[in-house]
Amino acid sequence: MGLIELLAQSQGWLLLVVGLLGLLVGSFLNVVAYRLPVMMERDWREQCREFFEMEAAAPDSGPFNLVLPRSRCPHCGHGITALENIPVISYLLLRGRCSDCGSGISSRYPLVEAATALFSLVVAWRFGFSWETALLLPLTWALLALSLIDYDHKLLPDSLIFPFLWLGLLANSQGLFTDPATAVIGAAAGYLSLWIVFQLFRLLTGKEGMGYGDFKLLALFGAWAGWQYLFQIILLSSLVGAVVGGALLALSGRDRSDPIPFGPFIAAAGWVSLLWGGEINQAYLNWSGLG
């Protein structure tokens, strides 16, 4: 029996493979969340130099991308070996410290790896061996990377959003999650709805309440789920954002003027709606007596 047949026939094997894959991808997402913003900043600086016809900067010591150079300890420069890069396990064996200098390693690395595996397992458990799982897994990983980057830098890279927006439209050209017309309208309505809110807020307050990346992210979910789920996503993300934002203000002493990235809340709400949106809508209709 081939691997594909085994995964199709056994949910246990499917979950095992997806869980292990999620751990490996989670390790890579840590790299993406750190390096992609640096790569973008370098690219912006180079474009500014070319536009203003400034003198070229000194060449970098070597390539810097998602693969090179090899990961190193930020404190002593120790190159991370393959055995020191096993998701979660290496962190536990090293007791959260660099093997060379003993400096602490952020607990965020194993947490991201474990979270990626967990969310991947949920997708595989929800949809089984299917095209939905095959497409939602990479979307889930991209949403995690986007959330990490937005949390760190208040930035949602187009290089992550647009490919998955197009993927959603292509998937729905075959009616996988919704029909093609609903997906196209959803993408347009997702962008325009937050764009209108942004413009009204700026008109009334003179401030920008969110970034353009938030519009694009909601457009992505409109392309995947259709326009019918946009209100649900906006409502869920606003509720979670209000709770988390209030908790941050109360517990961490965060300044009210400090912006809180909205992208992670949209990502979480959109992901939940893709998996259980129909059940959530039906539950609301039953509760309200409209079902």
Side-chain angles (χ1 to χ4, degrees):
M1 181 183 298
L3 177 61
I4 300 299
E5 294 178 349
L6 181 63
L7 296 179
Q9 297 177 14
S10 172
Q11 187 181 43
W13 277 105
L14 175 65
L15 294 178
L16 176 62
V17 171
V18 167
L20 292 175
L21 181 61
L23 287 172
L24 294 172
V25 171
S27 180
F28 180 65
L29 293 184
N30 281 314
V31 176
V32 173
Y34 171 72
R35 296 193 182 191
L36 184 56
V38 176
M39 293 164 54
M40 294 174 65
E41 181 179 358
R42 292 187 177 188
D43 185 52
W44 293 335
R45 290 182 182 276
E46 185 59 33
Q47 290 181 33
C48 288
R49 291 191 187 96
E50 292 179 0
F51 181 81
F52 292 105
E53 299 181 351
M54 299 170 62
E55 183 179 348
D60 296 321
S61 57
F64 187 89
N65 50 48
L66 298 181
V67 179
L68 297 172
R70 200 175 80 186
S71 298
R72 295 182 178 275
C73 171
H75 302 283
C76 68
H78 167 68
I80 307 302
T81 66
L83 291 177
E84 294 171 339
N85 206 27
I86 302 173
V88 179
I89 295 176
S90 292
Y91 181 87
L92 296 176
L93 293 177
L94 292 169
R95 298 182 180 180
R97 297 193 173 275
C98 172
S99 62
D100 193 37
C101 68
S103 298
I105 302 172
S106 174
S107 59
R108 168 165 153 169
Y109 296 114
L111 288 176
V112 169
E113 293 163 354
T116 306
L118 175 61
F119 294 143
S120 300
L121 285 170
V122 171
V123 170
W125 170 78
R126 179 73 174 86
F127 292 103
F129 186 82
S130 64
W131 280 111
E132 287 86 349
T133 294
L135 293 176
L136 283 174
L137 281 177
L139 176 64
T140 300
W141 302 333
L143 292 174
L144 282 166
L146 285 165
S147 297
L148 292 170
I149 293 172
D150 199 27
Y151 179 81
D152 290 338
H153 303 278
K154 313 297 187 296
L155 179 70
L156 291 168
D158 290 347
S159 58
L160 285 177
I161 291 181
F162 284 148
F164 285 93
L165 191 155
W166 310 137
L167 180 61
L169 291 175
L170 286 173
N172 285 325
S173 69
Q174 304 301 315
L176 193 61
F177 296 96
T178 188
D179 62 89
T182 299
V184 172
I185 295 172
Y191 186 93
L192 288 174
S193 58
L194 288 188
W195 181 84
I196 292 171
V197 172
F198 169 86
Q199 297 296 343
L200 290 174
F201 184 83
R202 186 169 65 173
L203 181 65
L204 294 173
T205 67
K207 301 178 181 179
E208 296 184 354
M210 63 184 72
Y212 278 70
D214 298 327
F215 316 160
K216 300 169 190 175
L217 184 56
L218 189 59
L220 180 154
F221 284 117
W224 281 76
W227 61 266
Q228 297 95 329
Y229 288 95
L230 292 176
F231 178 74
Q232 179 185 117
I233 294 171
I234 293 174
L235 181 61
L236 286 175
S237 59
S238 299
L239 289 174
V240 175
V243 172
V244 173
L248 288 174
L249 289 173
L251 300 177
S252 66
R254 190 185 184 116
D255 192 328
R256 291 180 179 272
S257 63
D258 291 342
I260 297 176
F262 195 46
F265 305 125
I266 298 176
W271 186 79
V272 169
S273 293
L274 279 171
L275 270 68
W276 297 288
E279 289 87 339
I280 293 173
N281 280 344
Q282 189 59 50
Y284 172 76
L285 291 175
N286 292 338
W287 173 78
S288 62
L290 299 175

